[in-house]
Amino acid sequence: MSFRFELLKTAPNGARRGRLHTPHGTIETPAFMPVGTAGTVKALTQEALEELGAEIILGNTYHLFLRPGHDRIRELGGLHKFMSWPRAILTDSGGFQVYSLAELRKITDEGVRFRSHLDGTEYFLSPEKVLEIQMALGSDIMMVLDECIEAPAEYSATEKAAARTFDWARRSRKHLDEAKMRGEGLAQAMFAIVQGGTYADLRKQSARDMMSLGFDGYAIGGLAVGEEHAVTCAMTEEVTSLLPADQPRYLMGVGKPEHIPDYLARGIDMMDCVLPTRNARNGCLFTSQGRLVIRNARYASDQNPLDPECSCSVCLRYSRAYIRHLFMANEVLGAILATHHNVHFYLDLMRRIRQAIEFGDIRDFSSEWQSRLAAGPC
């Protein structure tokens, strides 16, 4: 199946309902992508992800390049076969991971030279190399290399980074076109990444620049990195107001569940975030009554499920008291059960949102759920 996006409905508040067709299945949008950085969503088996209804997961070019290496994954049949995952995969370019290395990397117009956080070995990644790695991985959606910068940042530095990101996108577009003429990467789509920090004019210019090159979809990067939520929403809206309506829109690295309806109201179709898995491993659970910190002593004798309104297999079988015991005893099963519940919570939230868009009550749904989800300390 070739890559294709269907826009089925747009709600009065701007939220979109669609379907994204890929060679490894159809993704109902808006969609949340669990993060499987190194070829695994931490603490979950692929069987569990299938049970939870995940239609697409995210892998990371930087981490898979370092370990086990893209050439080895290609020799083993590509990332889908290597990790035994039959559904869609999006691979992030690794730009954010390289940015986070700080003292270990140097960025130039040619690309990024960095030292591995694993053993200090020096590597160089160009926009072309990043695509070659992703083509070897065989992901359904590849992301172009972009330059991430800190927030807040000076206008001049942000402008320079956005211009460099555009140049890298131009080189990526050329490289993939040439590869497809040779018969390579024919089943893979490529998304551009709009940058521009918190400056509306730079965001708009970056969006126009990327659209001039023609991509299969457009991502918005460099947000939710410390700025106020209202700023994230404002910058997102500046970009989505310009993007083509018939192509998917991906807001990277978000978000808190109470913020998700706000992003969708700005026309976002896809998102990813480590919160459900990272918070789970730290004992923070998302529920319909707000956040729950399972280590709290108040749950030591609590025989209720994590969330009385949840239908996941964890809530149907285990008590808060038992899961708290697992965390206090440092048993790995605690992280497994908590992660299963949190990923279910996010995927179920997206299912409810899609249904609300279809039946025309997304505004009432968003208002009610945002007030409930914001509660809690973690």
Side-chain angles (χ1 to χ4, degrees):
M1 183 187 297
S2 61
F3 186 88
R4 179 169 56 91
F5 180 68
E6 290 182 87
L7 180 59
L8 303 176
K9 183 175 181 178
T10 301
N13 75 335
R16 290 151 49 100
R17 174 75 175 91
R19 289 194 180 101
L20 184 59
H21 302 280
T22 78
H24 288 90
T26 297
I27 301 145
E28 302 291 337
T29 66
F32 178 83
M33 298 181 286
V35 176
T37 299
T40 172
V41 177
K42 287 184 174 62
L44 288 181
T45 64
Q46 275 67 296
E47 291 87 346
L49 286 167
E50 291 174 350
E51 174 195 330
L52 289 166
E55 295 171 334
I56 180 170
I57 61 174
L58 182 145
N60 186 263
T61 299
Y62 167 83
H63 288 280
L64 293 170
F65 167 67
L66 293 181
R67 185 172 56 188
H70 61 292
D71 287 331
R72 175 166 296 170
I73 291 176
R74 174 166 46 199
E75 291 167 2
L76 293 170
L79 186 56
H80 289 89
K81 185 176 181 180
F82 177 62
M83 64 180 291
S84 190
W85 175 249
R87 301 178 184 177
I89 298 175
L90 179 148
T91 43
D92 191 3
S93 68
F96 181 81
Q97 285 70 33
V98 170
Y99 151 76
S100 67
L101 293 174
E103 301 300 321
L104 299 177
R105 48 88 173 157
K106 180 180 180 181
I107 300 175
T108 68
D109 290 342
E110 291 306 307
V112 183
R113 190 169 299 279
F114 67 94
R115 291 192 177 277
S116 166
H117 70 286
L118 298 175
D119 59 11
T121 301
E122 185 175 276
Y123 296 98
F124 178 75
L125 287 179
S126 66
E128 294 84 0
K129 181 65 174 181
V130 164
L131 276 189
E132 289 172 10
I133 296 168
Q134 293 180 85
M135 290 169 67
L137 297 176
S139 54
D140 298 274
I141 302 173
M142 304 182 292
M143 303 301 299
V144 301
L145 182 64
D146 63 324
E147 182 180 358
C148 299
I149 61 173
E150 67 279 2
E154 295 293 332
Y155 185 93
S156 59
T158 307
E159 184 178 31
K160 183 177 180 181
R164 179 176 283 153
T165 295
F166 173 55
D167 182 57
W168 287 354
R170 179 187 56 76
R171 288 165 55 185
S172 299
R173 175 78 275 171
K174 181 175 182 290
H175 189 73
L176 184 60
D177 289 344
E178 292 172 349
K180 290 194 172 185
M181 289 181 66
R182 298 191 301 269
E184 302 171 13
L186 296 176
Q188 294 176 278
M190 181 169 63
F191 283 17
I193 302 177
V194 174
Q195 288 289 350
T198 56
Y199 301 98
D201 61 328
L202 295 181
R203 284 282 173 185
K204 289 179 179 179
Q205 185 60 51
S206 180
R208 294 190 187 100
D209 288 342
M210 297 304 176
M211 288 188 293
S212 73
L213 298 173
F215 288 88
D216 299 296
Y218 297 89
I220 304 172
L223 291 175
V225 289
E227 77 278 3
E228 294 291 329
H229 174 60
V231 175
T232 307
C233 290
M235 293 301 102
T236 300
E237 189 166 359
E238 293 286 358
V239 174
T240 55
S241 66
L242 298 175
L243 294 179
D246 61 349
Q247 291 181 282
R249 304 159 175 181
Y250 166 29
L251 183 57
M252 306 179 77
V254 298
K256 295 179 180 178
E258 64 270 23
H259 291 164
I260 287 176
D262 293 333
Y263 303 136
L264 300 182
R266 271 75 186 178
I268 292 299
D269 305 302
M270 306 164 65
M271 61 191 71
D272 75 282
C273 188
V274 298
L275 275 181
T277 49
R278 179 180 293 169
N279 280 22
R281 297 194 301 277
N282 291 318
C284 177
L285 288 303
F286 296 103
T287 79
S288 58
Q289 284 80 45
R291 292 163 174 78
L292 182 156
V293 182
I294 197 63
R295 292 179 184 272
N296 286 351
R298 60 186 291 192
Y299 302 120
S301 299
D302 192 334
Q303 298 186 57
N304 291 302
L306 293 173
D307 185 352
E309 296 184 22
C310 180
S311 61
C312 80
S313 58
V314 173
C315 287
L316 293 177
R317 183 162 187 165
Y318 301 100
S319 70
R320 294 173 176 177
Y322 178 64
I323 295 174
R324 179 183 184 274
H325 157 71
L326 294 175
F327 272 93
M328 300 308 292
N330 292 320
E331 288 288 345
V332 69
L333 181 60
I336 293 171
L337 297 181
T339 302
H340 189 104
H341 167 79
N342 272 2
V343 172
H344 176 276
F345 179 88
Y346 267 71
L347 295 177
D348 189 59
L349 175 60
M350 301 309 288
R351 281 190 287 266
R352 290 169 180 253
I353 287 172
R354 290 195 296 268
Q355 188 175 54
I357 296 172
E358 290 174 1
F359 289 96
D361 58 355
I362 183 64
R363 288 178 176 172
D364 292 340
F365 175 90
S366 298
S367 178
E368 175 191 355
W369 274 76
Q370 282 180 301
S371 62
R372 297 169 70 179
L373 298 178
C378 67

